[in-house]
Amino acid sequence: MAMYDAKLTNLCKHINPEVESNPLGITSIILSAAEKLSGSLLPLEDHLSLKRQSPHPPDVLQSVENCESTLPESFEIQAIRIPSSVNETIETLVLNLSSASYYLDVIAEALGVTEASRVQVSRTIGKASSEIRLFFCPKQQLLDQSLEPLEVHRVQLQGSLNVRASYFAGQEVYGDAILASVGYVWKSANLFHEDMSMRTYYRLLINKIPSGVYKLSREAISVAELPMAFTTRSNWRGFFPREILYTFCRQHRLAEPVFCIPNSSLGTSTDPHGTCKKLKVTEPIEEGKKSPVLAAGGGGESDGLTGDFQCEVKIFSKCQDLILQFLSTKAYKKQTDAVQNAALKVLLWLNLFFRESNISSEKLSSHAKELGIQFYSEYFLKEFNICSLVHDFWMSFATVEDGLLDRKHMKANDDMVENGVFSLNMGGQASGVNPSSGSLVCIGYTSCLVTEGGTKEHLESNEQFEFEMGIGAVVPCIEGIVTQLSVGQSACFGAELPPLEFILAAADDSPTTISLLSSGKCSLEHTITLLRVTEPLEDRMEQALFSPPLSKQRVEYALQHIQESHALSMIDFGCGSGSLLDSLLDYPTSLDKIVGVDISQKSLARAAKMLHSKLNSKLDYKVSSNRIKSAVLYDGSITNFDSRLCGFDIGTCLEVIEHMEEQEASLFGDVVLSSFCPRILIISTPNYEYNVILQKSAPQNQEEDPDEKNQSQAYKFRNHDHKFEWTRAQFCDWATDLSRRHNYSVEFSGVGGVGDVEPGFASQIAVFRRKEENPKNVEIAHHCKVIWEWSEGDRSKSAL
Ligand code: SAH
Ligand code: MG
């Protein structure tokens, strides 16, 4: 009872912080305090319990008797037995309770002891509201009265530490333990009880891993994945990174994470706590409710938007040892973005540790360095040592047939597509609406476990599941397939099994699943349908506000120059999924060679698919006066020199430079005009000054956070991937300087809006023309990879 009571526990923690990991110490503290109280309480010889000296007053006894119990005479509840050895599997267990007996006696019996007073009860496990506890028996030696009360837990009990139970309880548990949701709660006179299943057990287990918390928050264990990047609040689904970090720290009995926004205006402060403003953060909030608000403690004045925000995170143990810290190297426009991104970095690193239970410390350190994390391995290992024993997915299932263990080698590799996908089957008409990076997509899916013999067991399904593309918000195999689908299409494919604990956390009926898993080689089968694609904000705005859509206007603008210049060859720098190359094929031009370059393999794959079907189409291309003889797509950065990109009649680079850092954009400018030397080069980029208009009439305003809208609107870019957006003056300076240095002329225009009315065009365009007749000869150098190549001969081949 001592440990059971949160108030007593907290008081005892003040006396001795070590009771955090050894709640048995609480009993000792209370017993020694009771000894000093004479006359009312009597410690019993077992040194475990207290007794009132005088009996309870009659009215108290009366009220207990009057409490009517509505419990059935006898009933069963399901619990989980966690054997103390990790080599033994967890199993379900039925407790036969009755209104006439004491429930702890039943548990005692199941644990192999005679008396309820021998049973120790842990703190609650899992969510704050849960009533799930572990029941176990401390070993007799532990109660040896010759020991100093707080020395008790130092007794070495070889081999009987129950690692799994200890991991859940955050305290040392010895011997077999029973996990059950049963007991008396304040709210009711009746015994509270709920069944536990294997699924509940595995959900508790994965709730201790960052990616598990995220998967659970999305109710999509087999498909959701903790994303690699926090983009915008409106696109994020599931718990926010900061909430997950809070949950994680609570789950692992660490102190609350500390978030700091170093505040430059306090830079000269003599405050011993440095220049950090400690943020008061509201309690984690349930999904769907209003987003949590960050309030800056102390200061009072509103957080200026003058400076950019960086965020520092520190994780301490309960004993205030610093375990790790993160300082963002990137500054964010919004404070919340800085905080969420910082929390996410920490979570991603922690997740590595759980994903690879035997990860080497060198590997951990190098990942930490990459992410900007500093960790103190001594304290880190002290807190997390136990995790690798419990999360070793295969070890806990050592009795399961070996078939499971070589899941990596299952299925022939010949029909393997990317990301471990095999037996891919796609169906449905291509509607042409494809998701791209930054799109919000909605899929319906069903995941099943399939054995080699063809037995199928349903694992999980979701009618509508929404996520943002391109940030790793779903497992790689799903994202890889979704990029290939267009709205309305479906795909069915096989995939490798995820870790066992994820499967069992998803499975409705774990016993069946376990028997399937142990009966032979299994794989996962996903069936997905792409239901909707919502374009990134920029595209939505461009489509809603301009007619024809701005992207189409850019393409038409380029097309016009291609036609007027009678160009024979054209190269699209940063071609993306090939929208310009695609449109070109619909119009008569003099082009016989077209090339696209990009660094996004996914976009290139889509471009290749589209060009391939268009160029090989059986339609007579003479009709559209298309004379294309060759087409190539390269994977590579346009900032690197490659001799195959040189000497084109016309080059285009539409809405690309703003996706690079400014220095890179300048590097591209130099390389393209000094080495690639197209006769004409068209560069387009957003006009920052036009954003006022886009934002005023943006159809999606309500999506943004109301409390952030006013502050940040003036600072917002059109797309979260944009590294910069220039005003007309900035773009003009950049382009004019470039043209002078490389002997080109430059003219400015644009599309969307009217050029000579403020604030100018929506997309600003510079057209460079080479003054020199013949560009200098260039050295041969190849760094790009040919992704796809086509020549006229291919068409006749495929026509046969
Ligand atoms: N020009 C296309 C795509 C614009 S989106 C259109 O107008 O539809 C910007 C594209 O630039 C993305 O596809 C991105 O992958 C590409 N990109 C960004 N940095 C790049 C680089 N250094 N080299 C090549 N492509 C790059
Ligand atoms: Mg852009």
Side-chain angles (χ1 to χ4, degrees):
M1 291 307 287
M3 280 169 271
Y4 208 94
D5 189 295
K7 231 182 221 166
L8 279 180
T9 309
N10 285 335
L11 283 172
C12 292
K13 269 185 217 164
H14 287 292
I15 299 169
N16 188 335
E18 281 187 34
V19 302
E20 179 58 42
S21 59
N22 171 35
L24 199 56
I26 294 172
T27 321
S28 311
I29 293 176
I30 289 171
L31 284 171
S32 56
E35 269 162 23
K36 291 177 193 141
L37 280 177
S38 51
S40 59
L41 292 168
L42 200 71
L44 297 182
E45 311 79 85
D46 64 1
H47 282 262
L48 255 192
S49 35
L50 295 168
K51 197 184 159 167
R52 286 176 64 94
Q53 270 185 347
S54 52
H56 283 288
D59 56 317
V60 171
L61 292 175
Q62 194 62 44
S63 73
V64 173
E65 262 165 34
N66 287 347
C67 271
E68 242 178 80
S69 167
T70 52
L71 285 176
E73 227 161 80
S74 73
F75 57 100
E76 294 182 338
I77 69 162
Q78 193 171 289
I80 301 282
R81 177 191 294 279
I82 306 178
S84 75
S85 156
V86 284
N87 295 322
E88 284 178 54
T89 53
I90 279 119
E91 56 191 19
T92 53
L93 153 105
V94 172
L95 299 173
N96 289 303
L97 304 181
S98 75
S99 52
S101 65
Y102 181 35
Y103 77 98
L104 273 178
D105 281 333
V106 180
I107 293 176
E109 200 190 319
L111 285 168
V113 289
T114 46
E115 244 182 286
S117 68
R118 292 272 144 220
V119 177
Q120 199 169 324
V121 185
S122 79
R123 15 162 110 89
T124 57
I125 288 163
K127 286 200 203 95
S129 60
S130 116
E131 284 299 326
I132 301 171
R133 296 171 194 272
L134 280 159
F135 300 85
F136 55 101
C137 301
K139 283 279 146 119
Q140 197 53 52
Q141 300 96 295
L142 269 180
L143 311 172
D144 187 343
Q145 46 177 302
S146 65
L147 288 168
E148 277 295 296
L150 280 170
E151 290 294 311
V152 156
H153 75 288
R154 302 211 170 83
V155 175
Q156 283 295 314
L157 287 164
Q158 285 297 325
S160 65
L161 180 74
N162 187 326
V163 175
R164 288 173 292 199
S166 304
Y167 181 61
F168 280 118
Q171 72 185 74
E172 286 165 14
V173 172
Y174 292 92
D176 290 356
I178 289 176
L179 189 67
S181 184
V182 59
Y184 286 94
V185 293
W186 292 118
K187 283 165 278 181
S188 140
N190 277 326
L191 185 69
F192 170 86
H193 59 92
E194 253 174 4
D195 284 336
M196 287 282 303
S197 62
M198 293 291 251
R199 186 173 188 242
T200 332
Y201 172 85
Y202 282 100
R203 287 183 162 231
L204 286 173
L205 186 61
I206 68 167
N207 201 32
K208 300 199 102 178
I209 319 176
S211 68
V213 176
Y214 184 75
K215 284 165 177 283
L216 286 170
S217 79
R218 302 233 48 200
E219 279 298 335
I221 292 162
S222 63
V223 307
E225 192 53 271
L226 182 67
M228 305 292 287
F230 182 82
T231 51
T232 64
R233 277 186 172 199
S234 48
N235 281 0
W236 185 269
R237 297 290 181 275
F239 286 167
F240 285 106
R242 199 191 56 218
E243 282 172 75
I244 300 176
L245 194 57
Y246 268 86
T247 305
F248 180 85
C249 289
R250 188 164 44 80
Q251 288 286 353
H252 290 272
R253 313 210 70 83
L254 304 170
E256 282 199 345
V258 179
F259 289 88
C260 284
I261 304 275
N263 188 327
S264 49
S265 67
L266 295 176
T268 51
S269 159
T270 50
D271 173 10
H273 296 297
T275 54
C276 272
K277 235 200 223 176
K278 188 167 173 185
L279 293 174
K280 206 180 120 219
V281 181
T282 50
E283 281 302 293
I285 289 182
E286 279 171 48
E287 200 183 359
K289 295 217 183 126
K290 194 181 172 299
S291 308
V293 193
L294 273 176
E301 69 274 82
S302 72
D303 289 290
L305 280 160
T306 41
D308 285 342
F309 294 105
Q310 283 183 306
C311 184
E312 188 182 290
V313 187
K314 284 184 177 158
I315 309 271
F316 293 95
S317 72
K318 275 264 155 72
C319 302
Q320 294 304 310
D321 297 317
L322 181 59
I323 295 173
L324 69 83
Q325 60 183 348
F326 166 81
L327 179 59
S328 141
T329 45
K330 221 176 139 184
Y332 293 86
K333 301 276 169 200
K334 295 182 202 166
Q335 180 170 299
T336 45
D337 285 351
V339 169
Q340 300 295 358
N341 273 293
L344 183 57
K345 289 279 161 31
V346 172
L347 289 170
L348 287 168
W349 182 76
L350 288 167
N351 211 32
L352 282 173
F353 182 74
F354 290 93
R355 187 169 293 181
E356 263 181 76
S357 54
N358 49 5
I359 190 166
S360 69
S361 57
E362 294 85 64
K363 211 164 157 194
L364 264 185
S365 310
S366 84
H367 281 297
K369 213 180 245 165
E370 242 168 65
L371 290 162
I373 287 170
Q374 223 179 331
F375 76 105
Y376 302 92
S377 52
E378 182 194 337
Y379 294 120
F380 179 78
L381 290 176
K382 192 171 144 204
E383 298 293 332
F384 291 99
N385 228 344
I386 199 171
C387 303
S388 57
L389 291 172
V390 179
H391 285 285
D392 193 311
F393 310 124
W394 306 107
M395 191 162 165
S396 58
F397 255 73
T399 55
V400 170
E401 258 63 340
D402 317 338
L404 209 60
L405 293 165
D406 56 37
R407 68 194 169 118
K408 290 259 158 59
H409 312 293
M410 48 169 293
K411 292 279 171 185
N413 281 337
D414 41 7
D415 63 345
M416 279 267 214
V417 196
E418 242 180 294
N419 302 314
V421 166
F422 51 83
S423 319
L424 173 62
N425 243 316
M426 293 219 273
Q429 278 295 310
S431 62
V433 184
N434 295 91
S436 58
S437 197
S439 311
L440 268 182
V441 304
C442 183
I443 61 170
Y445 72 85
T446 300
S447 308
C448 295
L449 198 64
V450 191
T451 63
E452 254 185 349
T455 316
K456 254 190 215 183
E457 171 73 10
H458 174 266
L459 213 55
E460 186 179 72
S461 52
N462 233 314
E463 271 170 31
Q464 304 232 342
F465 179 80
E466 219 178 17
F467 63 96
E468 182 181 337
M469 293 290 290
I471 55 167
V474 285
V475 292
C477 65
I478 301 272
E479 181 148 25
I481 297 298
V482 171
T483 30
Q484 299 173 40
L485 295 178
S486 67
V487 172
Q489 285 186 311
S490 301
C492 178
F493 58 95
E496 265 183 34
L497 284 186
L500 200 61
E501 56 187 27
F502 288 145
I503 302 177
L504 294 174
D508 311 306
D509 181 5
S510 319
T512 316
T513 308
I514 292 167
S515 80
L516 275 188
L517 285 170
S518 48
S519 71
K521 295 178 183 179
C522 287
S523 62
L524 216 55
E525 185 187 274
H526 294 291
T527 311
I528 54 180
T529 306
L530 181 56
L531 303 171
R532 274 199 308 276
V533 173
T534 315
E535 298 298 329
L537 191 62
E538 179 183 23
D539 297 0
R540 276 179 274 162
M541 284 195 296
E542 292 195 353
Q543 270 162 28
L545 295 175
F546 299 95
S547 170
L550 211 52
S551 51
K552 185 120 196 283
Q553 292 191 37
R554 279 190 293 263
V555 167
E556 281 168 2
Y557 184 94
L559 193 70
Q560 194 190 336
H561 276 80
I562 291 166
Q563 289 175 326
E564 280 171 12
S565 67
H566 304 291
L568 293 177
S569 59
M570 105 60 128
I571 177 163
D572 192 15
F573 297 106
C575 61
S577 7
S579 56
L580 175 60
L581 300 173
D582 183 18
S583 312
L584 281 180
L585 301 180
D586 297 336
Y587 296 90
T589 65
S590 47
L591 293 174
D592 68 11
K593 178 180 183 185
I594 56 173
V595 167
V597 195
D598 205 288
I599 39 167
S600 160
Q601 298 191 352
K602 281 183 188 152
S603 302
L604 285 168
R606 212 170 307 123
K609 207 167 155 185
M610 176 278 303
L611 286 176
H612 190 82
S613 74
K614 226 167 185 174
L615 288 167
N616 287 331
S617 139
K618 299 203 172 67
L619 285 176
D620 184 2
Y621 265 82
K622 299 257 158 49
V623 173
S624 61
S625 328
N626 183 317
R627 319 135 141 243
I628 308 272
K629 293 200 180 75
S630 82
V632 188
L633 290 175
Y634 291 109
D635 173 12
S637 174
I638 54 174
T639 56
N640 287 351
F641 176 71
D642 187 306
S643 51
R644 293 167 297 182
L645 313 185
C646 296
F648 282 76
D649 288 335
I650 193 160
T652 49
C653 181
L654 305 184
E655 307 290 294
V656 175
I657 56 170
E658 73 277 5
H659 292 264
M660 313 183 204
E661 298 296 340
E662 286 191 59
Q663 310 90 284
E664 278 185 279
S666 296
L667 184 60
F668 165 68
D670 285 329
V671 172
V672 68
L673 296 188
S674 72
S675 307
F676 301 153
C677 302
R679 199 148 54 80
I680 299 172
L681 175 69
I682 303 174
I683 297 186
S684 88
T685 193
N687 169 15
Y688 180 68
E689 295 159 274
Y690 200 87
N691 290 3
V692 189
I693 295 186
L694 290 180
Q695 279 153 14
K696 260 193 213 140
S697 37
Q700 253 74 31
N701 261 351
Q702 67 274 16
E703 250 193 29
E704 292 298 312
D705 250 312
D707 52 298
E708 277 168 28
K709 205 160 80 187
N710 300 334
Q711 311 173 343
S712 60
Q713 223 168 42
Y715 295 85
K716 210 160 49 182
F717 291 155
R718 296 182 194 180
N719 177 315
H720 62 73
D721 190 46
H722 286 178
K723 306 296 185 301
F724 62 83
E725 281 177 7
W726 281 336
T727 60
R728 283 166 292 173
Q730 284 173 307
F731 184 51
C732 178
D733 288 349
W734 181 80
T736 310
D737 174 58
L738 265 184
S739 68
R740 277 205 204 105
R741 284 191 287 118
H742 301 293
N743 204 18
Y744 272 74
S745 70
V746 64
E747 269 170 42
F748 295 93
S749 68
V751 292
V754 185
D756 42 23
V757 174
E758 282 302 308
F761 290 114
S763 257
Q764 42 186 345
I765 299 179
V767 181
F768 298 84
R769 282 170 214 275
R770 200 173 66 216
K771 289 185 186 162
E772 244 168 70
E773 252 325 295
N774 299 310
K776 38 207 171 296
N777 283 335
V778 288
E779 306 248 315
I780 301 292
H782 291 182
H783 90 270
C784 290
K785 203 170 122 201
V786 177
I787 283 288
W788 172 85
E789 205 170 5
W790 178 89
S791 69
E792 207 177 16
D794 296 350
R795 184 185 323 153
S796 30
K797 255 185 271 157
S798 81
L800 292 172

